[in-house]
Amino acid sequence: MSTAPADTLTVLWAGSEAAWTEWRAPLKSATCGLAKVVREVPDPAAVDVILYAPNGALKDFTPFVNARLVQSLWAGVERIVGNPTLTQPLARMVDPGLTRGMVEWCLGWALRMHLGMDRYAQDGVWRNHVLPPLAPERKVTVLGAGALGGAAARAMVQVGFDTAVWSASGREIEGTRALGGEESLTEALRRAEILIALLPDTAGTRGLLDARRLALLPKGANILNPGRGTLIDETALLGLLNRGVLGHAVLDVFAAEPLPAAHPFWRHPRVTVTPHIAAETRAATAVTMVADNLRRLREGQPLLHLVDRARGY
Ligand code: NDP
């Protein structure tokens, strides 16, 4: 029987059963010599790190008295950040595969809106009178300048869109106009012919895009929301779409998920529903960040992507 070296971390898998089948092999190879990943422990006090997802079974972190890190397998942490039993440091997921997926989703839909691809109904009508503007003439605003908002904004810049990024701190993203804080949200929205929302679900973002703020968007504006559904007042959004004030909304996330079959979004001509598929954590690429954090923990270095509990992200 082989015994692990004394500094080998004991890592408890607390993700879903389905995710385990995807994660098991890449996790084992990325953490070889660094950690022993287990799915059950006789003694919770022996656990150093917990790999967590809200769709796993773990709800109570109290018994893990020596755990020094809870590493979320998901980028969004709204379902764990308020858990009163969680006293251990929490890190969110930043995965190059997930980021790439999100960038592709945003890019695809932004170009579709920009080029008016849906204008060309296959109905025998020769509509050749519209000259679409080129990307530099199209104003895009990204809400959120984090791992995902920042990456989406950089992709918009590469295409040539006139891009602004709004975040709490006004974080700079090269090639974009940086806007920060409540006072500049009006400006961020007023210019947004295409609005991309990549904000987390927190007390500060819930209901942020209410009727008043949605009405600041230019006439015919398109909204892409792959962040969180709680950001937008869905009734107000429907009203503006019904009246033709807004052009189109591509929604990946909703206040209630799955979106009920009878919800008016499903059949609305100005709404495209994608079922929370914009971007997934990909084990093959995500394990590198997980292993990096385990190594940092073992060597006493600062951990990556720690969540600020007070801010909620
Ligand atoms: P980050 O934590 O890296 O970035 C969050 C960004 O939001 C930061 O720029 C932050 O500002 C800004 N922010 C937070 N609160 C506010 C506020 N009240 N006002 C203004 N700006 C605010 O998150 P990620 O980029 O990694 O992810 C963003 C979200 O995307 C996740 O929280 C998740 O909900 C969602 N997501 C959706 C997926 C999908 O498939 N639909 C997949 C993965 C994630 P600052 O920079 O100043 O701190």
Side-chain angles (χ1 to χ4, degrees), residues 34-237:
L34 179 64
K36 186 167 160 250
V37 184
V38 297
R39 295 171 74 201
E40 282 173 6
V41 270
D43 176 15
V47 171
D48 298 301
V49 176
I50 299 169
L51 301 183
Y52 168 85
N55 58 357
L58 180 62
K59 305 289 172 230
D60 181 8
F61 294 85
T62 317
F64 302 97
V65 289
N66 293 315
R68 288 171 287 153
L69 170 65
V70 173
Q71 173 65 60
S72 173
L73 299 171
W74 293 9
V77 291
E78 70 276 5
R79 284 170 63 182
I80 182 182
V81 76
N83 184 324
T85 70
L86 180 77
T87 53
Q88 301 84 350
L90 171 67
R92 71 207 164 73
M93 174 54 63
V94 176
D95 160 32
L98 178 140
T99 303
R100 176 178 281 271
M102 185 58 84
V103 165
E104 291 181 5
W105 188 97
C106 291
L107 213 43
W109 289 108
L111 282 170
R112 185 164 182 165
M113 297 298 120
H114 167 60
L115 294 173
M117 286 174 170
D118 299 305
R119 193 176 333 151
Y120 304 104
Q122 305 302 294
D123 56 1
V125 181
W126 189 258
R127 295 179 183 84
N128 72 343
H129 54 280
V130 182
L131 187 65
L134 295 173
E137 297 152 24
R138 180 76 73 192
K139 290 188 169 58
V140 174
T141 294
V142 181
L143 303 182
L148 301 177
R154 278 185 281 273
M156 298 301 141
V157 169
Q158 272 187 352
V159 172
F161 287 123
D162 177 353
T163 308
V165 182
W166 179 81
S167 65
S169 61
R171 213 191 290 194
E172 302 271 350
I173 304 290
E174 202 185 333
T176 72
R177 179 135 156 259
L179 297 167
E182 279 271 354
E183 60 289 353
S184 60
L185 181 55
T186 300
E187 189 184 348
L189 295 174
R190 278 214 170 114
R191 71 182 300 284
E193 292 171 277
I194 299 176
L195 182 75
I196 303 178
L198 273 164
L199 292 169
D201 175 14
T202 70
T205 61
R206 245 158 262 150
L208 190 70
L209 295 190
D210 57 11
R212 184 179 66 79
R213 293 205 178 95
L214 286 170
L216 294 170
L217 290 164
K219 184 162 171 29
N222 300 296
I223 297 182
L224 315 183
N225 186 17
R228 282 293 181 264
T230 50
L231 177 74
I232 300 180
D233 177 337
E234 294 179 338
T235 309
L237 176 63

